[in-house]
C-alpha cells in the first residue's frame, strides 16, 4: 500500500482556496525555479561561449564527415526506443502492463515536453501522468517512476565503473576517487534499502512518532515494494535497457567527435561521458544545457582535447536530443486528446486514497 502523501505532490489536483483564503502561490514558486534554472544555463553557456573560438568551431563543423555525423544521429536515436522499453519493463515489474507502442508514445511525448517545459513539468512526471490517465493505478505508476530513475542511475554508474581504470590513468586521483566513492555510496544505499525492507514496520529502530506517521508509513511501504521488485526479472531487464540508453549516448558522442576530427575511442567515452550524463540529469538547468557542456569540456580536457572541440561535440549531443524529440510533440497532442476523452481513474481528478485494492 502506497500512502497518498507520496503521490499528491506531482499528480493530485490542488485544492481550491476556501472563502477568505489566498491562492497558495504555487505558480509563482514554479516561475522562480524556472528562472533559477535559466540563470544557471545562461551563466554556464555564456562562460563557455565567451572563451570559445567560434571561427574554429565553425571550420570544424563545415569540414565534418557527413557519414559519421549521420551515424551519430542514428545511434543517438536508439536512446528513445531503449528508454521506452525500460519504462515498459519497470511498469511490468511494478504490476501494470504497457504495449511496446504505448510505451514508445509515452516516451516520445515526455521527451518532447522535457525539452520545451523543463522548469514547470518534468518529463518523468508527465510520462507518469499520462500512464495514470491510461487507467493504470497511481501507486504503481509512482513506484515505476522511482524504479525507472534508480535503474537509469545504476546503469550509468556501472558504465562509469567500467571506464574507471582508464579515467584513473588520465585524471587526477581525486577525480577517479570521487567516481568510486559515488558508486560505493549508491551500492551501500541500495543494500540498506533492501535490508530495511525485510524489517516489519512496527520493529523499525526509529521513534514511534516517526514510524507511525504518514511519512514513515509512506517511506516504509515504498521500500518494501522496492525490495519486492528486486527479485523481479523485469526490473533487471529495465537495467539492461538503461545500459543500452547510456551506451547509445556514448556511441553517439564518439561518432560526433570523430566526425569533426577527434580520435575519441571507446575507453575514452566510457571514462568521461557518464559524468556528463549525470550532470545533464541534475535538476539545475534547462534540459541539461550548460552543465552537460561544462562536464564534457572538463572531461575532454583530461584526455588532451581542446575545449572548443569538446564544446562542439557536446552541443551536437544536445541538438540531437532536441531534434529527435520534436516528433514527440505530435504524440503529446494525440495522448492529450486520448486521455482527455477518458474519465479520471477512480472518477476523480486526483489520485484515489486507497491503493491497496
Amino acid at each position: 500500500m502506497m500512502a497518498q502523501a507520496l503521490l499528491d505532490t506531482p499528480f493530485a489536483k490542488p485544492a481550491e482556496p476556501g472563502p477568505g483564503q489566498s491562492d497558495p502561490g504555487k505558480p509563482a514558486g514554479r516561475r522562480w525555479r524556472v528562472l533559477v534554472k535559466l540563470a544557471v544555463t545562461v551563466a554556464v553557456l555564456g562562460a563557455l561561449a565567451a572563451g570559445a573560438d567560434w571561427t574554429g568551431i565553425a571550420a570544424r563543423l563545415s569540414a565534418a564527415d557527413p557519414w559519421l555525423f549521420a551515424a551519430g544521429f542514428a545511434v543517438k536515436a536508439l536512446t528513445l526506443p531503449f528508454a521506452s522499453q525500460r519504462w515498459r519493463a519497470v511498469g511490468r515489474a511494478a504490476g501494470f502492463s504497457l504495449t511496446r507502442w504505448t510505451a514508445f508514445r509515452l516516451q516520445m511525448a515526455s521527451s518532447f515536453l522535457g525539452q520545451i517545459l523543463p522548469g514547470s513539468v518534468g518529463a518523468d512526471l508527465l510520462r507518469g501522468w499520462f500512464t495514470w490517465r491510461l487507467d493504470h493505478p497511481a501507486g504503481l505508476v509512482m513506484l515505476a517512476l522511482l524504479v525507472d530513475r534508480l535503474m537509469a542511475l545504476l546503469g550509468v554508474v556501472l558504465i562509469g565503473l567500467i571506464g574507471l581504470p582508464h579515467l584513473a590513468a588520465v585524471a587526477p586521483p581525486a577525480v577517479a576517487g570521487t567516481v568510486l566513492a559515488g558508486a560505493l555510496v549508491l551500492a551501500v544505499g541500495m543494500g540498506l534499502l533492501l535490508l530495511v525492507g525485510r524489517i516489519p514496520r512496527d520493529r523499525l529502530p526509529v521513534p514511534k512518532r516517526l514510524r507511525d506517521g504518514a511519512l514513515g508509513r509512506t517511506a516504509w511501504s515504498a521500500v518494501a515494494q522496492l525490495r519486492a521488485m528486486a527479485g523481479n526479472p523485469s526490473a533487471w531487464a529495465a537495467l539492461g535497457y538503461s545500459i543500452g540508453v547510456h551506451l547509445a549516448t556514448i556511441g553517439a558522442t564518439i561518432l560526433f567527435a570523430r566526425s569533426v576530427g577527434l580520435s575519441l575511442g571507446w575507453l575514452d567515452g566510457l571514462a568521461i561521458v557518464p559524468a556528463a550524463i549525470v550532470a545533464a540529469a541534475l535538476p539545475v538547468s534547462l534540459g541539461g544545457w550548460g552543465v552537460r557542456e561544462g562536464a564534457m569540456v572538463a572531461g575532454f580536457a583530461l584526455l588532451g582535447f581542446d575545449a572548443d572541440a569538446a564544446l562542439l561535440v557536446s552541443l551536437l549531443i544536445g541538438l540531437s536530443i532536441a531534434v529527435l524529440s520534436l516528433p514527440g510533440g505530435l504524440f503529446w497532442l494525440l495522448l492529450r486528446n486520448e486521455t482527455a476523452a477518458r474519465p479520471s481513474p477512480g472518477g476523480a481528478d486526483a489520485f484515489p486514497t486507497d491503493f491497496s485494492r
Side-chain angles (χ1 to χ4, degrees):
M1 174 178 175
M2 295 285 288
Q4 180 70 23
L6 183 65
L7 307 169
D8 280 342
T9 302
F11 289 95
K13 181 179 178 180
E16 297 292 335
Q21 293 180 328
S22 60
D23 184 83
K26 288 184 179 179
R30 294 193 187 102
R31 282 195 295 270
W32 274 111
R33 289 195 292 271
V34 173
L35 289 175
V36 170
K37 292 182 179 184
L38 177 62
V40 171
T41 302
V42 171
V44 178
L45 286 178
L48 293 172
D53 176 12
W54 289 102
T55 301
I57 289 176
R60 277 186 179 274
L61 188 59
S62 63
D65 185 317
W67 292 106
L68 289 175
F69 191 84
F73 265 89
V75 172
K76 184 59 182 173
L78 294 175
T79 61
L80 293 169
F82 277 142
S84 71
Q85 287 304 299
R86 183 178 68 202
W87 180 237
R88 182 169 180 255
V90 296
R92 191 162 57 244
F96 63 89
S97 178
L98 297 169
T99 66
R100 288 184 175 85
W101 177 238
T102 297
F104 182 72
R105 291 190 300 146
L106 290 167
Q107 179 61 41
M108 288 297 297
S110 65
S111 296
F112 171 75
L113 291 169
Q115 293 296 314
I116 65 171
L117 298 172
S120 56
V121 186
D124 287 346
L125 292 180
L126 256 296
R127 185 170 65 245
W129 189 85
F130 276 129
T131 303
W132 170 62
R133 290 288 296 170
L134 292 173
D135 295 328
H136 298 291
L140 301 184
V141 171
M142 285 299 293
L143 184 63
L145 284 173
L146 177 59
V147 174
D148 185 73
R149 290 299 86 204
L150 284 175
M151 289 304 175
L153 178 59
L154 184 57
V156 77
V157 167
L158 290 175
I159 290 175
L161 288 176
I162 294 173
L164 185 59
H166 188 60
L167 180 64
V170 299
V175 175
T178 300
V179 173
L180 183 59
L184 289 175
V185 169
L186 177 63
V188 171
M190 293 185 68
L192 288 175
L193 282 177
L194 296 177
L195 179 62
V196 169
R198 297 174 61 92
I199 304 173
R201 184 168 57 85
D202 58 359
R203 300 180 64 180
L204 290 173
V206 296
K208 187 176 185 300
R209 181 178 178 182
L210 294 177
R211 184 183 65 208
D212 295 337
L215 181 59
R217 294 195 306 271
T218 298
W220 180 86
S221 177
V223 168
Q225 293 193 57
L226 285 174
R227 180 181 177 276
M229 290 179 67
N232 193 310
S234 294
W236 297 107
L239 177 60
Y241 288 121
S242 182
I243 292 173
V245 170
H246 301 319
L247 287 178
T249 297
I250 293 171
T253 302
I254 293 170
L255 288 167
F256 283 139
R258 291 182 177 179
S259 74
V260 296
L262 301 183
S263 55
L264 192 70
W266 267 102
L267 286 178
D268 299 326
L270 292 172
I272 65 171
V273 177
I277 293 173
V278 173
L282 295 175
V284 296
S285 69
L286 297 182
W289 287 97
V291 290
R292 175 181 53 241
E293 283 66 38
M296 197 77 82
V297 168
F300 272 62
L302 294 174
L303 300 173
F305 296 113
D306 65 87
D308 292 335
L311 179 59
L312 174 58
V313 172
S314 184
L315 290 174
L316 289 175
I317 287 293
L319 289 171
S320 68
I321 297 170
V323 171
L324 291 167
S325 298
L326 285 178
L330 176 60
F331 289 102
W332 169 56
L333 292 173
L334 293 174
L335 278 169
R336 191 176 66 170
N337 292 335
E338 180 181 344
T339 56
R342 301 185 179 200
S344 297
D349 289 330
F351 277 149
T353 304
D354 184 5
F355 299 102
S356 60
R357 293 176 294 177

